Amino acid sequence: MTLEQTHLIVGAGLAGAKAAETLRAEGFDGRIVLIGAEHERPYERPPLSKDYLRGEAGREKVYVHDEDFYTANAIDLRLGRTATRLDTSNRELELDDGERLRYDRLLLTTGAEPRRLQIPGSELEGVLYLRSVGESDVLRERLDHGGAVVVVGAGWIGAEVAASARQRGLEVTVVEPASVPLERVLGREVGAFYRDIHTDHGVKMLLGTGVEAFEGETAVESVRTSDGRELDCDLVVVGVGVQPRLQLAAQAGLAVDNGILVDERLQTNAPGVFAAGDVANARHPFYGERIRVEHWANALNQGPAAARSMLGQSAAYERLPYFFSDQYDVGMEYSGFVRSWDRVVFRGDPAGREFIALWLARDRVLAGMNVNVWDVNDDVQALIRERVAVDDRRLADPDIPLGEVAQLEKGGVA
Ligand SMILES: Cc1cc2nc3c(=O)[nH]c(=O)nc-3n(C[C@H](O)[C@H](O)[C@H](O)COP(=O)(O)OP(=O)(O)OC[C@H]3O[C@@H](n4cnc5c(N)ncnc54)[C@H](O)[C@@H]3O)c2cc1C
């Protein structure tokens, strides 16, 4: 008789929940314990800055699984429990109530948390962050009262919150040190597209300036910018990026560097310990380097991949990074990973708000984003994956299907 094995998952977010589901789906019949610091069962975060925040979608929409899924699959879901200490030599995990759990395999899906601003007035009431469903509830209630909101940071979260607040009729000002929103990821041309959709909807975009202080008695009443403006407001939402939650891994002596370092099978440097989702800085076979991806699809797919690795299946995780964003009536999907590029080629006109942008270095496509154009994401990914030389004119020509741009190039036909 073999002893029952125990697989622990720390972090009951999307990656953790999908990993637990996959362990069972792949036939693991031992004990699964899924530990989550939050009191909610696992949920998805994208709606929290979009329809859920605007009150257009209910709580049921956000959950990863139905309530009875966990008992039906014999997954021991421990909510409101934080894992506080990991001992990898004795394969033991300690929880905040002192309970110790032995494991055969352990998966860390501890996610990421918002970077906090440390400036005067940071502690004032009404200076909000958005990561959890509870924080989305608080923000939604504030939006119900109307008024003026200052959004600090024009990254994805800031931009989506600005759009939702504007759609709810608030006066919205965005303060962002870069010259356009999302400049680091998208560059100036596509960033300018996002600037324009916000200004067209009446958002005041204060670009090229930062925030010096929040001011008010007990609650925030105004924001002082580094170029000397005073912005009166009822509320501030800070979206200045996230950082991976590394405390447990670092304390346990796992290798960490901008995330928990894992190989292409999502295994850490400790035997039997894996990591996935926002917290994992994973070696990517396609890129030949480690990357950490802070997006929904990565959590959705890496959780299951880690579960399969925990069961001894030896497939590498090699999906290309993918994410999406919805702002007003502009939906987009982005595939690829790019730190630098030579140029952006457009297929379609950004002014018409239906286009595909492709980021290239020399004659190779590194990333692509389709805006209000659908069913082309597989073609964009194929262009990236195949690493074929492409011609800018054909890439830009809407009469040549994207899928055929690569094929023509491969076949060498001019
Ligand atoms: C408002 C918002 C909107 C977003 N919109 C999009 C979008 O449009 N498109 C997109 O691609 N991505 C989006 N994302 C990003 C996406 O939600 C994340 O990439 C995804 O949530 C990552 O999932 P995860 O499971 O890795 O981590 P998380 O979702 O961060 O979950 C980790 C969980 O682990 C728990 N935990 C941490 N440490 C411990 C511990 N020691 N013990 C127990 N539990 C612990 C945490 O409490 C948390 O619940 C959005 C994120 C936010 C916040």
Side-chain angles (χ1 to χ4, degrees), residues 9 12 27 31 74 81 94 100 103 154-155 185 225 240 242 248 257 262 314 340 375:
I9 303 172
R31 185 176 178 219
R81 285 270 81 84
E94 191 171 316
R100 290 183 182 181
Y103 64 84
V185 199
T225 63
V240 293
V242 296
L248 190 65
D257 178 14
V262 291
S314 64
S340 62
D375 302 325

Side-chain angles (χ1 to χ4, degrees), residues 228-263:
R229 293 177 220 230
E230 287 286 334
L231 309 170
D232 290 342
C233 64
D234 301 290
L235 163 73
V236 167
V237 183
V238 181
V240 293
V242 296
Q243 58 195 19
R245 282 200 195 88
L246 296 175
Q247 298 86 334
L248 190 65
Q251 161 274 315
L254 299 184
V256 296
D257 178 14
N258 178 35
I260 301 172
L261 299 184
V262 291
D263 64 17

